[in-house]
Structures are given as structure tokens and as C-alpha cells.
Amino acid sequence: MLTALSIRDVVLIEALDLDFGAGLGVLTGETGAGKSILLDSLGLALGARADSGLVRQGAAQSVVTAVFDLPDPAAAATLLADSGLDFDTSEPLTIRRIVKADGGSRAFVNDQPASAGLLRELGPYLVEIHGQHDDRGLLNARGHRALLDSFGKLDTAAVTTAHREFRDAEDALAQARATQDSAARDREWLEHAVAELTALAAEPGEEAQLAERRATMQRGEKIATELQAIAELLDGSDGALTRLRQAARILDRIAQDHPALTEALAALDRALIEGGATQDKVDEAAEALAFDPAQLEADETRLFELRAIARKHRVQPDDLAELTETLAARLTLIEGGEGEIARLEAAVATAEAAYTQAAEALSAARTAAAARLDAAVASELAPLKLDAARFRTVVDPLPRDSWSASGRDRVEFEVSTNPGAPFAPLIKIASGGELSRFILALKVALAEEGGARTLIFDEIDRGVGGAVASAIGERLARLSAGAQLLVVTHSPQVAARGAHHLLIAKSHDGLVTRTGVRALDDAARREEIARMLSGAQITDEARAQAERLLEAA
């Protein structure tokens, strides 16, 4: 709901702050008083083109601020979030648009910079403006299907689910066919690659194991001669340990002849012990580094094969086992692909049949709802002086490539304004007054299903009066019970129905002309409606008639 509108320096408006309430609000004033300026100002806040001609003469810029209280802010919040803007759904939504005299413009949503395009996207969630050249809301055929579903209280969940399953089945089939086609083109290569990889039988970690074992054997090969030489020097027939043992035996015979010889024998024993430990370690290393030349050659051959095949397939050696499984699966798909594709084709057929059944049921429900909507609109046409017109809701099948989660139907509202005239889309109606009254009839019939909670009708009573104007006023009042309505009107019958009444008037100070707006109390309302009845010269009879209209409302 629009709760406030602040206008600064727009055409003839210098400064204006308006508050709006729920229900039916009427805006009246003499022709040329500036009622269109209010709508143009609101249009700016909703993303209309920034025209520097709207800036009041002598001012640097125009500023329009509109504040909305959204009873269901989820959709607007999602749209703002997608645009990177924060919105606390417990707070009002404030839109500010600035237009500079040089033509530049800026927009803000809750004080966050925004684009005019975003304001245009927000507009349908906030306000519907129905006037001479409106092409949104009920006139946009893209929304007619949702309006019909809402009017008929139709449940589309089954169609949505069936469509998703149908599309998933089609996607799976398409992917299988693409894979099959690609694999079939590579069959000869796949057969060779799988045979080669299977024969190789690579295992994860095998390359590292082989490389480590080869490195160990290569180290052993390199120092084998040195280890043998060390063994000969230590324990050969003429080795150090042999000579030390010989010396130890001699010392053992003469050690008692002098204390130093005893100490020498003890030292020699220790040397023999360390020498023996040295020989043990050398033997241990020789055993660990021992290698079989045939095994070394076999390991090197295997390692080179692994690395060569890995380079060939542009993978790491550890990935060869997984590659073997992947390519084998592709080859299996070729060999058994026809059966899998046949299974997926059957799944698609089953899913399509389920979708068709659900969509046909929804189409039948839409056709029935369309008949009820046509009857409801028809009952509203005669009181609105549209008794020669006809309305119909067209429900036609869509081509297969246009089927969607919303079903298989194209829905559009069409009218024929004169007997014998062909039906045409609602937007093709030539007369602005007829168009507005058709929209009113539709809105009443739809009971405000879908659409914004604030509706603005610009001169819906153009060209009518008397009973027709009374009928329009009665329907506007009825419609305002579930929404906020703002109506620019020249009809006293419509004005008398308003819960709120704003008077738009020009004033002159000799130099500058300004447009102002003021809320009317009961006495002022009666006077304004009397003016609308009698013209410039207000008579007592007009005041009495105005009083009767207000009492009847």
C-alpha cells in the first residue's frame, strides 16, 4: 500500500507531502489543475523515463519519494536481494528518484543506490496504474494464465511435478544419446586403449613403489665393490681384524710381564669388539643393498611402461587404474548402450504420459474456470455501459516446445466492443474510457486475484455520467475493500464514494503558478462535489445533491 508521497520541484509543484490510507481515495480538481503531475511523479518513483522537462523552472533537480507498506513483501525482498540490496521486510519500502535539470537521474531504494530498471521491476509488486496508455497489469497477456488459475483456485502442483520429472527424463536420454554418439565415434580407439590398459594392469601407488625399489638397487649396484673391499680389509686372510687377533694372542702370552702390556691387551680387545661391530654393520648394509640385475631390469622396464602410458593418456601413473575403469565403462556403454537408451526412451514416454494427463486435467479445469470468469465479467459490463461488448477468455493449446511447468495452455483475455466485431486482445481497445471500464469489470470479477495491492485508475469515468458513473463508483468502492484504490475522477458519483478525498488546484501569486493538493474534510468534500455537479457557480441545489450523493455512498 502506498502510504506517503513526497514531491519536490516537479513542474508546477514546489513542495508537496501527501499521506494515503487504505480504501478508496479520490483525486479531483478542475481540468488542467495538475492531476497528471501527481501520476507522473509517482511514475518516476516506479522507474519511468527521467525527463528533465519535469524539473520545475529555476530548480536544480526534482525529487520524488514514495513510501510503501507491503503486506506480502517476500517477492519484492527476493528481487532486491538478487540485485544485492538489503531489505528488512518488517520495515516500509522507500523509493527515492532524483531527476536533474541537465537530464541526469539517480534512484535509491531504502537509501541504497539502485537502477531505474530495478524500479521498473519493482513496480508491478507495488502499484497498478490503469489509464489511457497502460500496457501492464491486466493488459499484459503474459499474466493472464496466472490470473485465471488464481480466479479458478486451480492447483498446478501436479503439473509442475510431472513437468520436472518429464524434463529430467528427457535430459537423461539426451545425455545418454550424446555419450553414446561420442563413444561410438571413438570405439576403435577405446578398444585398443582398454586392451592396452587392461594388459598393463596398473595399480595406484605402484609407480612410487617401483621408483623407490629401483633407486635402492641402483645405490647397491654403485657401492657393491666398495662394500666388498671393506669386507676384505676388515676380515680377509690378511685383513685388519685377522692381524689384530694375531696381535692379541701374542700380547696374551706376554701381558703378565708388564702392566702396560696388560693395558694394551685390554685396548686391543676393545678394538676387536668395535671392529666386529663395524663388520656386522657393513654386512647388514650389503645385504639390504643386495640386488638382482634381472629384477632391476624388470622394475625399470615396468616403470618406463607405466610412465609412457600415463604420458600418452595425459594422466598421472596413479590414475591409470581409474582411467581403465572409465574407458571400459564407455566401451561397455557402446556395447550395451542401445538397451540403456531404450530404457530411457521408455522412461521419457512414461513421464510424458504422466505430464500429459496432468496437463489435460489442468486444461479442462482452466476451460471451466474461463467460462465462469466470462460470465462474471459479462455481468459487470452492462452497468458500466458496455452492454454491446463481449468478453472471452481464450484457452488454446501451446506447441510442444512451449510446454512448461504451468501447463500446455495459452491464456489471453479478448474482447469485442461492438456487435459483429471480431474479438481482439484487451489492449487493442481504442477508447481509453472503454479500456478502463473493462479493466474495472475484470478487477471486480477477479476479486483482485494477483497484482499489486495499490491500484490507480486515471479518469475511468471519462465520457460517462449518471447511472454508469454511479455503477463505476459502486464497483470501485467494492474493489477497495480488498485493496488500496486511488482514482482520478471528474465524476461526482465516483468522488462521493471515496473514503479519502484530495483536491488538486492551481494558485497564482502574480509571478509563479503552483499546483497544490489538500485533503478535504466533510464540509469541503460536499462543496467540491457540488462544484463538480454545477460547475464554477455552485448553487444550493448542487450542494443538496452533493449531500444526497454523500449520504447514499
Side-chain angles (χ1 to χ4, degrees):
M1 182 176 75
L2 176 66
T3 59
L5 182 65
S6 174
I7 303 172
R8 295 291 184 272
D9 295 317
V10 176
V11 192
L12 299 178
I13 298 177
E14 184 175 359
L16 186 61
D17 294 293
L18 298 174
D19 294 323
F20 299 93
L24 178 60
V26 296
L27 292 84
T28 65
E30 295 183 357
T31 300
K35 296 184 290 296
S36 63
I37 300 176
L38 287 179
L39 298 184
D40 290 341
S41 299
L42 182 58
L44 274 179
L46 299 176
R49 187 174 66 88
D51 185 351
S52 60
L54 292 173
V55 180
R56 188 173 65 86
Q57 186 175 3
Q61 63 183 24
S62 296
V63 182
V64 178
T65 304
V67 181
F68 295 89
D69 183 10
L70 305 182
D72 183 13
T78 299
L79 178 59
L80 292 172
D82 290 343
S83 300
L85 301 185
D86 296 327
F87 176 42
D88 184 349
T89 55
S90 64
E91 297 293 328
L93 179 69
T94 301
I95 298 175
R96 187 168 79 256
R97 186 83 182 276
I98 300 173
V99 179
K100 296 183 178 180
D102 62 8
S105 74
R106 290 181 296 162
F108 300 87
V109 176
N110 284 6
D111 293 325
Q112 302 167 94
S115 66
L118 176 60
L119 300 190
R120 285 191 291 272
E121 290 185 70
L122 270 175
Y125 300 108
L126 306 175
V127 176
E128 285 184 27
I129 301 177
H130 300 294
Q132 297 282 338
H133 306 292
D134 180 48
D135 60 355
R136 299 166 296 172
L138 292 178
L139 301 187
N140 190 338
R142 286 179 297 181
H144 290 176
R145 183 169 59 194
L147 287 170
L148 178 62
D149 289 347
S150 185
F151 170 80
K153 296 180 173 54
L154 305 183
D155 185 0
T156 61
V159 171
T160 300
T161 300
H163 182 266
R164 182 179 64 251
E165 293 173 351
F166 177 31
R167 288 299 179 221
D168 288 347
E170 284 194 321
D171 290 345
L173 176 59
Q175 183 176 355
R177 282 174 171 164
T179 303
Q180 174 81 351
D181 291 343
S182 175
R185 289 192 297 269
D186 301 332
R187 179 167 187 159
E188 183 177 348
W189 177 84
L190 279 171
E191 289 176 338
H192 171 75
V194 169
E196 182 180 53
L197 289 167
T198 301
L200 184 66
E203 297 180 1
E206 183 181 4
E207 186 226 11
Q209 182 180 358
L210 286 170
E212 177 62 27
R213 194 162 68 193
R214 183 186 71 155
T216 300
M217 288 193 290
Q218 286 176 333
R219 289 195 300 273
E221 182 182 31
K222 182 177 180 180
I223 65 174
T225 302
E226 286 81 353
L227 290 175
Q228 181 63 34
I230 292 171
E232 289 293 332
L233 288 171
L234 285 175
D235 202 29
S237 59
D238 198 29
L241 289 176
T242 300
R243 293 192 176 204
L244 286 173
R245 291 187 190 100
Q246 290 173 353
R249 285 194 294 271
I250 296 171
L251 276 174
D252 187 52
R253 289 195 300 270
I254 65 175
Q256 67 275 11
D257 293 332
H258 192 278
L261 294 176
T262 302
E263 293 177 0
L265 178 60
L268 189 57
D269 287 341
R270 290 195 298 273
L272 284 169
I273 292 171
E274 291 297 325
T278 300
Q279 184 179 9
D280 291 343
K281 291 299 181 182
V282 170
D283 291 343
E284 180 182 343
E287 183 179 355
L289 294 171
F291 71 97
D292 180 357
Q295 183 63 50
L296 176 59
E297 183 178 359
D299 284 356
E300 285 184 331
T301 300
R302 176 68 174 177
L303 186 61
F304 293 153
E305 286 181 349
L306 286 173
R307 288 175 174 173
I309 296 297
R311 285 194 301 272
K312 178 179 177 180
H313 292 284
R314 299 178 182 178
V315 298
Q316 295 299 317
D318 283 350
D319 297 331
L320 287 172
E322 181 180 355
L323 178 64
T324 303
E325 295 178 359
T326 300
L327 296 184
R330 287 178 59 185
L331 189 58
T332 300
L333 184 62
I334 294 176
E335 296 166 348
E338 291 184 1
E340 175 65 10
I341 287 176
R343 184 190 69 78
L344 291 173
E345 287 175 340
V348 169
T350 299
E352 182 175 356
Y355 173 75
T356 298
Q357 182 178 2
E360 286 177 348
L362 180 58
S363 296
R366 281 175 173 154
T367 300
R372 296 196 302 274
L373 177 59
D374 293 351
V377 173
S379 68
E380 297 292 334
L381 296 181
L384 296 175
K385 202 179 180 181
L386 294 170
D387 44 305
R390 292 174 295 157
F391 172 88
R392 72 178 183 186
T393 304
V394 177
V395 181
D396 283 338
L398 287 168
R400 192 179 191 280
D401 59 1
S402 296
W403 292 359
S404 71
S406 298
R408 307 187 308 176
D409 307 309
R410 179 189 71 88
V411 177
E412 186 170 6
F413 302 149
E414 293 185 345
V415 297
S416 169
T417 55
N418 297 298
F423 280 92
L426 187 60
I427 197 172
K428 299 296 184 181
I429 298 175
S431 165
E434 284 184 335
L435 178 58
S436 296
R437 297 201 300 278
F438 257 113
I439 290 171
L440 178 58
L442 259 174
K443 276 294 181 183
V444 172
L446 290 168
E448 185 52 13
E449 296 291 352
R453 302 301 296 173
T454 296
L455 286 79
I456 297 177
F457 287 93
D458 184 12
E459 298 188 0
I460 190 174
D461 49 17
R462 177 188 291 261
V464 299
V468 176
S470 295
I472 291 174
E474 186 273 329
R475 281 156 178 77
L476 288 171
R478 192 196 319 167
L479 191 57
S480 69
Q484 179 190 44
L485 264 70
L486 299 176
V487 180
V488 177
T489 181
H490 290 286
S491 168
Q493 292 91 339
V494 173
R497 291 281 184 171
H500 317 281
H501 194 147
L502 298 176
L503 176 63
I504 304 170
K506 286 182 180 178
S507 61
H508 308 270
D509 62 3
L511 295 175
V512 179
T513 301
R514 296 181 176 86
T515 289
V517 180
R518 64 186 179 92
L520 302 183
D521 58 18
D522 290 344
R525 282 191 70 193
R526 184 175 61 252
E527 197 71 6
E528 169 61 9
I529 293 173
R531 181 199 64 77
M532 297 171 72
L533 286 165
S534 64
Q537 186 66 36
I538 302 176
T539 65
D540 291 340
E541 182 180 351
R543 291 187 177 93
Q545 179 64 19
E547 186 68 36
R548 287 191 291 271
L549 286 175
L550 289 168
E551 290 175 355

